[in-house]
Amino acid sequence: MSIDFSSQHRALDRRGFLTLLTAGTAVLGLPMLAHAAGEPIRIGLLAPLTGGGGPYGEGMVNAALKAVEFINKEAGGVLGGRRLEIVVADDESNPTAGVAAARKLLDVSKVVALIGMWSSAVAMAVKPLAIERGIPLLVSGSADEVTQGDNKGLVWRFQSSGKDWGAVFGKAALKDGAKTASVLALQTPFTTSLVEPFIKTFKAGGGRIIDSVYYSPNQPSYRAEVEKIFSQKPDAVFIPSYLPDLSAVTREIYRSGYSAKIYVNSSAADAEGAFIKNVGVQVSEGIDHIQSIPPRESSAYQTFARVTGTSPDAIAIFPSNAWDEVSVLALAIEKAGSTDPQQFAKAIPRVVNGPGVTVEDPVVGLKALRAHKAIAYSGAGSSFKFAANGEQINRIYGHFTIRNGKNKLIEILQ
């Protein structure tokens, strides 16, 4: 089933949105250009509408939809009037479900690119299929393996890598005065990618690692792992995790009365407010979390916030990444003058890295390209550049702490 939404579409509540998707993928776009030259250009969005990434899925979908509406309405689409469409599929935050959804997007919906993929495990599972089909893959997952290997110039990350992110945690713990630290990590590609960079950075700064323990998702209890780590009384404990297991682990820590400083990735300890709602004010109090954050003062972020209906003071991490994924694809297609994935994939680094005039709005960028000007897109999610392997560089990080049930920004890290 496919459904078109006009620019006046009403907002769907979560139940309505998920009901819409239960019948299959949903086509989201702006039908006002239906009679323009050429068929619509479809972009597949693998969104975590359920599973561990569930708190982020709807925001990513809304951002991608709004980006497409904005480009179609204000720039007339791409390539002389061809409109963009977003085809949404729930990857369930699960590799098997993600691959099945990707196959349907490619075989049935005939999408020219795949975006989203909050889960690194989903991104890694889908990557071989995308490379085999010659389809660009623009992902939000952070595991280092996502961009490793010969990706044929098709894989581009719109989030920090685990290597960079883990190192920032080590720097933060040292800066906060920790002399000893332990690691309690969920066993997934993303979370484990943070561990070694954290350990290496912490030790290089004079810190001592006491212990490292890994646990599996959906365990009935985490008591043994928590006791093993916290009974050794480290100054700091790093817990790379997802929302469901972090909620269970921190409840166990609170019940046991342990008091070490806790550092967690914001994708678990914030989760659009879901973590604090899950565990309550007392359990969450004093937990520090770190995440690559968007440049909120930039015109790129302000445009994103205005068009998507996001508060300009909010830190919309994954929605702004989805906005950038759509924007970069639109610019690359226009730059290449083609919807052939093999051709416009080559234009992705050119429209981001330049050289050219800096643009922070995809519509401005499209108009510049039509005026035969070279551009360098600076995004809402980050004022980034791409390395040759598809990694984003130049990202900044926000260090937060939870106080009285609210997230408080302590400092900006790089």
Side-chain angles (χ1 to χ4, degrees), residues 306-317:
R306 173 176 57 82
V307 174
T308 61
T310 302
S311 168
D313 296 323
I315 302 177
I317 298 164

Side-chain angles (χ1 to χ4, degrees), residues 118-184:
W118 173 89
S119 164
S120 294
V122 170
M124 290 166 58
V126 171
K127 184 173 81 167
L129 175 63
I131 293 174
E132 175 188 329
R133 302 289 186 90
I135 296 293
L137 198 68
L138 286 66
V139 308
S140 292
S142 289
D144 294 337
E145 294 92 333
V146 171
T147 54
Q148 290 175 352
D150 182 6
N151 293 323
K152 310 295 184 184
L154 295 171
V155 180
W156 305 92
R157 194 198 303 278
F158 283 72
Q159 182 54 266
S160 58
S161 68
K163 177 180 65 176
D164 292 343
W165 197 352
V168 171
F169 277 105
K171 293 176 183 177
L174 289 166
K175 190 172 182 180
D176 289 345
K179 303 297 183 184
T180 60
S182 290
V183 177
L184 180 59

Side-chain angles (χ1 to χ4, degrees), residues 25-26 41-47 64 85-89 101-102 104-106 109-117 135-138 325-326 329:
T25 55
I41 301 165
R42 291 185 167 182
I43 299 168
L45 169 58
L46 287 168
E85 286 183 348
I86 298 294
V87 189
V88 180
K104 186 173 182 181
L105 289 171
L106 294 169
S109 301
K110 306 299 183 184
V111 300
V112 299
L114 293 170
I115 67 172
M117 287 155 284
I135 296 293
L137 198 68
L138 286 66
E325 289 163 5
V326 172
L329 281 175

